[in-house]
Amino acid sequence: MNIVKQIFIYVAALNLWFATAQETHRRTLKLMGSRFDITVVSENEKEANVYIDMAVDEISRIERLISSWDVNSQTSSINKNAGIQPVKVDEELFLLIKRAMHISKLTDGAFDISYASMDRIWKFDGSMTEMPSEDEIENSVVKVGYENIVLNEEEHTVFLKLKGMKIGFGGIGKGYAADKAKRLLKSNGVSGGIINASGDLNSWGKQVDGEDWQVAIKNPLNKNKMFVLLPIYEQAVVTSGNYEKNVTFNGRTYTHIIDPRTGYPSSGIVSVSVLSSSAELADALATSIFVMGKEVGLDLINQLKAVECIIVDDKGKVHYSNSINKSN
């Protein structure tokens, strides 16, 4: 037998053995106030549990760092010292805030971590009977503005200029946690898996049969159906929908994602899915597209390298960015 053919058969047999020796294990739990599904490929359940525990510890560590609800967190310290003095923070938090501000600039403020300063005048629990006044809406965002976040590169300090100003990571935190958990598990030899943080998902490697992971994008107007099945490899997918939390006034429906620049809720879009190498980036962009609208949102995505998106508007029409493969 030809020696090259022998090597090929040996390698194929080895790959088949390796694939069958691996198993997929998943655990569902609540972290960062949300549902997390952690999936890993490993040799047995005992090993899988060790890896999943590692991911849980990492996500919990990140929550302690970025949580504005934890009075002892560095984020809370930044907020408490707004308008008073800069706060020295760990490099990790400093760089996360710096990246968030970069996305704010990229989206002309449609994404803004200082949204946490916003007065919650809109209610999406069915209790609203009329729109807030123009003055109420305008006043609700007076302390919002990423331009008022001052970073000192040398000292690693963060200062919020306005007293009462706050930052929060609700639009980026779970994506960041998914990225960090993935990176940790890959560095510890886990060949494949998925970190799914309530729709903020990052994947690596392949399934045990050698096939790519598959992500179903559901039809937001009919959650029992999907309109596309995407194969993903070393890729993050973040899907945001706001079709369940909304109010209607004067024949117009407003949804719960608020434009941090104006105080008005977004309208015209019911679902956004963003694909990128980073769940953190995809998370922030998905939120931004709701605020910017489908035309401006698609134009932005089409200018970004290795980023794709799928938008469903409030008429049920699906819009794709230029580079996405619509044949899946």
Side-chain angles (χ1 to χ4, degrees):
M1 184 183 292
N2 183 293
I3 185 64
V4 175
K5 189 174 182 179
Q6 284 181 316
I7 292 172
F8 176 79
I9 292 173
Y10 172 75
V11 170
L14 184 63
N15 287 339
L16 179 63
W17 174 84
F18 181 77
T20 55
Q22 299 285 293
E23 301 173 350
T24 300
H25 297 272
R26 186 176 79 171
R27 188 189 304 172
T28 299
L29 62 165
K30 188 173 183 179
L31 295 165
M32 302 178 75
S34 301
R35 170 175 169 155
F36 272 69
D37 295 289
I38 302 173
T39 302
V40 297
V41 172
S42 65
E43 293 185 4
N44 54 64
E45 185 175 2
K46 182 179 179 181
E47 181 183 73
N49 283 330
V50 171
Y51 290 135
I52 292 173
D53 286 343
M54 289 172 59
V56 171
D57 289 344
E58 176 71 348
I59 294 164
S60 299
R61 181 190 68 80
I62 292 166
E63 181 176 19
R64 289 191 296 272
L65 181 69
I66 70 174
S67 174
S68 56
W69 300 105
D70 182 350
V71 295
N72 297 312
S73 74
Q74 292 183 15
T75 301
S76 289
S77 182
I78 292 170
N79 291 342
K80 282 185 291 188
N81 284 281
I84 301 172
Q85 63 184 357
V87 174
K88 189 175 181 64
V89 299
D90 292 347
E91 182 181 29
E92 179 179 9
L93 181 60
F94 185 88
L95 293 177
L96 177 62
I97 294 171
K98 184 178 179 180
R99 291 194 302 275
M101 291 180 67
H102 176 72
I103 297 171
S104 293
K105 294 173 185 176
L106 184 69
T107 61
D108 293 324
F111 175 83
D112 194 331
I113 59 172
S114 71
Y115 79 94
S117 314
M118 198 181 303
D119 291 338
R120 301 297 190 265
I121 60 172
W122 294 88
K123 308 295 181 184
F124 299 93
D125 56 4
S127 63
M128 288 188 73
T129 58
E130 61 181 9
M131 281 186 65
S133 69
E134 289 185 12
D135 285 345
E136 287 177 310
I137 294 171
E138 185 176 335
N139 290 334
S140 71
V141 293
V142 292
K143 293 177 182 176
V144 177
Y146 70 93
E147 303 94 338
N148 293 313
I149 304 173
V150 181
L151 302 182
N152 184 311
E153 296 275 358
E154 292 184 2
E155 300 294 330
H156 277 179
T157 61
V158 182
F159 177 55
L160 308 183
K161 287 184 180 180
L162 306 178
K163 197 164 182 63
M165 190 176 174
K166 298 176 183 177
I167 59 171
F169 297 94
I172 200 171
K174 293 195 298 295
Y176 176 62
D179 288 347
K180 291 289 286 184
K182 167 187 170 178
R183 193 175 308 162
L184 176 65
L185 294 186
K186 283 188 71 175
S187 69
N188 279 275
V190 181
S191 63
I194 294 177
I195 309 294
N196 185 355
S198 295
D200 296 4
L201 176 155
N202 206 341
S203 70
W204 72 100
K206 292 180 178 287
Q207 300 184 67
V208 293
D209 59 3
E211 295 294 319
D212 288 337
W213 300 102
Q214 302 280 332
V215 173
I217 307 297
K218 291 183 179 180
N219 183 338
L221 303 178
N222 186 345
K223 292 185 291 182
N224 294 320
K225 293 184 178 181
M226 67 176 186
F227 60 82
V228 65
L229 185 65
L230 297 173
I232 57 171
Y233 176 70
E234 299 293 334
Q235 198 168 30
V237 181
V238 171
T239 297
S240 297
N242 61 4
Y243 39 87
E244 292 181 336
K245 294 181 180 180
N246 56 67
V247 292
T248 301
F249 295 118
N250 302 319
R252 183 173 182 178
T253 298
Y254 298 91
T255 51
H256 76 282
I257 295 178
I258 311 293
D259 186 337
R261 302 165 298 187
T262 66
Y264 282 88
S266 60
S267 61
I269 295 176
V270 294
S271 175
V272 175
S273 296
V274 177
L275 292 80
S276 168
S277 61
S278 162
E280 174 191 320
L281 175 61
D283 196 1
L285 290 175
T287 303
S288 303
I289 291 170
F290 272 104
V291 171
M292 293 186 291
K294 61 179 183 291
E295 288 85 6
V296 177
L298 281 171
D299 183 61
L300 171 65
I301 297 299
N302 287 332
Q303 295 178 59
L304 300 178
K305 185 178 180 181
V307 181
E308 303 165 345
C309 78
I310 303 171
I311 300 172
V312 182
D313 66 26
D314 55 4
K315 303 296 189 296
K317 186 176 180 181
V318 183
H319 307 264
Y320 299 89
S321 58
N322 291 342
S323 58
I324 203 162
N325 183 359
K326 290 172 258 191
S327 63
N328 292 306

